[in-house]
Amino acid sequence: MTTQQVPAIRLRGLKKSYQKLHVLRGVDFDVARGSIFALLGSNGAGKTTVVKILSTLLKADAGAASVNGFDVATQAAKVRESISLTGQFAAVDEILTGRENLVLVARLRHLRHPGTIADELLERFSLTDAATRKASTYSGGMRRRLDIAMSLIGNPPVIFLDEPTTGLDPQARIEVWQAVRQLASQGTTVLLTTQYLDEAEQLADRIAILHEGRIIVNGTLTELKQLLPSATVEYVEKQPTLEDVFLTLVGAGKDGEPAMTAASVPTSREQR
């Protein structure tokens, strides 16, 4: 198997518990190079635990995982050289300008020509006009785009985005989506964790649903929709949405509430 054929990310039988709480109960999936893979799940499903294990911040109790061909348990340093992690909250320094944030990270990574690197990333993420403004003046979407740009310094082949649009307004979310699409178009492998169903529909090449510590389904959006029959209402055929698939497989949450945020996903009823 050539390097390009080896999955960028591979998990087999991954398990993790905190005392009597079994968070991961044997998680398996592969992520192809240069693709966007969405890991869907309710709050507490274990999505962030998966990311922490893959990024060497947490040790698994059992199973195996590799990133960019390197074992996360025995080759942690190589894994860290291959990845970047962007969490739920932007890690920018608000006192510095957008350009200064990028230059700082480039210098910390001992890269040559940090100013050139910063300018290229500012242009890539449509932040050139705001380069000399303090990050504290940026909108939520701009901060998140700057955060992702900072994480790309050094050109890591794999990036983890852990619920990157949490707390953002609709326009800011669209800006982040555009940035993520651009990453994949340029060959970066993206593992995206989210509880927003429309986000997975918009971005992912493949989608896996993590529920009660296990992957209960893994496939393309088309494959997942085929799990439910089409609905015919007044002779109009309606394909199931990802929301229909998720709620059918996972069920409702406590007190009858939906198990996760549907955001702006259309409802499952056809209205005339």
Side-chain angles (χ1 to χ4, degrees):
M1 186 178 290
T2 66
T3 301
Q4 289 301 315
Q5 291 175 321
V6 174
I9 302 170
R10 168 165 283 181
L11 284 75
R12 291 293 181 271
L14 209 63
K15 295 182 179 180
K16 183 63 182 178
S17 298
Y18 298 98
Q19 297 181 348
K20 294 183 179 180
L21 178 61
H22 300 294
V23 180
L24 303 179
R25 300 168 180 263
V27 174
D28 304 272
F29 63 78
D30 291 344
V31 180
R33 293 180 182 274
S35 68
I36 301 176
F37 186 95
L39 186 60
L40 274 175
S42 310
N43 286 329
K47 304 185 301 296
T48 298
T49 298
V50 169
V51 170
K52 285 184 176 180
I53 291 172
L54 291 174
S55 56
T56 75
L57 297 175
L58 191 65
K59 290 186 177 181
D61 297 333
S66 65
V67 177
N68 200 32
F70 301 112
D71 186 274
V72 298
T74 61
Q75 298 173 292
K78 291 291 186 181
V79 170
R80 288 193 289 269
E81 290 175 1
S82 303
I83 67 169
S84 185
L85 170 62
T86 298
Q88 297 179 24
F89 304 100
V92 303
D93 189 325
E94 296 189 350
I95 297 176
L96 302 179
T97 67
R99 188 176 190 276
E100 288 170 342
N101 268 283
L102 292 164
V103 169
L104 175 62
V105 174
R107 286 177 174 169
L108 288 173
R109 295 193 177 183
H110 307 290
L111 299 177
R112 299 176 61 186
H113 311 301
T116 301
I117 292 171
D119 292 338
E120 289 175 350
L121 285 168
L122 287 166
E123 182 176 0
R124 180 175 170 183
F125 285 89
S126 303
L127 292 169
T128 301
D129 291 344
T132 58
R133 284 170 45 192
K134 287 188 177 182
S136 59
T137 69
Y138 283 16
S139 67
M142 292 170 68
R143 289 190 197 188
R144 178 56 76 188
R145 279 153 47 206
L146 177 60
D147 193 26
I148 295 174
M150 290 165 62
S151 71
L152 291 178
I153 292 176
N155 296 315
V158 179
I159 182 169
F160 300 122
L161 300 178
D162 190 16
E163 303 199 25
T165 62
T166 296
L168 297 184
D169 61 49
Q171 179 58 40
R173 292 178 69 210
I174 291 172
E175 292 176 6
V176 173
W177 290 355
Q178 292 171 340
V180 173
R181 290 191 188 99
Q182 188 179 42
L183 291 180
S185 70
Q186 297 181 353
T188 303
T189 303
V190 179
L191 173 59
L192 169 77
T193 72
T194 184
Q195 56 178 318
Y196 294 125
L197 302 175
D198 59 337
E199 190 156 272
E201 284 190 298
Q202 288 286 333
L203 295 176
D205 299 302
R206 292 188 69 85
I207 301 165
I209 297 177
L210 181 63
H211 181 61
E212 295 184 350
R214 293 186 174 90
I215 299 294
I216 58 174
V217 67
N218 180 353
T220 65
L221 179 60
T222 299
E223 290 170 345
L224 266 58
K225 286 185 175 182
Q226 290 174 349
L227 295 174
L228 298 184
S230 300
T232 302
V233 180
E234 296 183 2
Y235 306 103
V236 177
E237 186 179 85
K238 173 189 170 296
Q239 293 294 324
T241 66
L242 182 57
E243 180 181 15
D244 296 327
V245 175
F246 183 90
L247 295 179
T248 298
L249 293 171
V250 173
K254 294 180 180 180
D255 302 322
E257 294 297 322
M260 65 188 295
T261 304
S264 59
V265 181
T267 61
S268 58
R269 295 180 181 177
E270 286 288 338
Q271 296 183 355
R272 293 178 62 85

